[in-house]
Amino acid sequence: MSITITYRQIIISILLIILSFNSLAAESNNLVKNITFMRGDKAQSIVTISLPNQSISPTIQEKAGKIIINIPNTILPSSLQKEINVVESETLIQTISPISRNQMTIVKILPIGNYHYSATQLNNLFIVT
């Protein structure tokens, strides 16, 4: 009887381990890979977000003086959840603030002065200029 319980416990433990690895693999497939800022040749601001894959389609809008990018079905690693201050770049962006909330990554860009922005997606890169 105790051997049956032991085998059952082992099988349950193995199943739980397999399920946890599947869960971790699915989660890592939805990780935003990177967020970078670059100053262009004409002093334009270029924010590039490396998406988990090209099937992710971010949305972008202006709200309360900020440019807000919503990236559904993604997780932002804690290493990327920090405000990026780019004031010294002498462009029209002051800060980039990425956060992760409820399976969504939100990137808030705080511009300075008069600006015009455009956004494009090339494969798994979402680029805001």
Side-chain angles (χ1 to χ4, degrees):
M1 180 96 169
S2 66
I3 294 176
T4 305
I5 293 173
T6 304
Y7 285 134
R8 188 176 295 157
Q9 289 174 338
I10 291 171
I11 291 171
I12 290 172
S13 296
I14 290 171
L15 288 174
L16 288 174
I17 290 169
I18 291 170
L19 288 174
S20 68
F21 279 126
N22 286 340
S23 170
L24 287 172
E27 184 176 296
S28 68
N29 288 336
N30 291 336
L31 290 177
V32 170
K33 296 177 181 164
N34 204 5
I35 299 172
T36 60
F37 171 83
M38 184 174 77
R39 179 189 159 122
D41 293 339
K42 298 177 184 176
Q44 71 270 37
S45 304
I46 303 168
V47 177
T48 303
I49 303 169
S50 298
L51 303 170
N53 59 63
Q54 63 187 15
S55 68
I56 304 284
S57 296
T59 60
I60 187 166
Q61 64 180 336
E62 285 183 87
K63 189 174 183 180
K66 295 179 183 173
I67 300 168
I68 300 173
I69 304 161
N70 292 309
I71 310 167
N73 303 315
T74 59
I75 298 168
L76 187 65
S78 58
S79 62
L80 296 177
Q81 292 188 41
K82 57 186 173 196
E83 184 174 89
I84 305 165
N85 187 327
V86 296
V87 169
E88 293 180 12
S89 68
E90 298 179 4
T91 65
L92 294 178
I93 291 181
Q94 184 173 347
T95 58
I96 303 163
S97 303
I99 59 169
S100 190
R101 191 178 293 154
N102 300 326
Q103 295 292 317
M104 169 137 7
T105 298
I106 303 166
V107 180
K108 296 179 183 179
I109 299 173
L110 180 59
I112 304 168
N114 295 325
Y115 64 93
H116 172 75
Y117 74 89
S118 64
T120 188
Q121 184 169 346
L122 301 170
N123 296 321
N124 68 322
L125 296 177
F126 189 73
I127 304 163
V128 180
T129 305

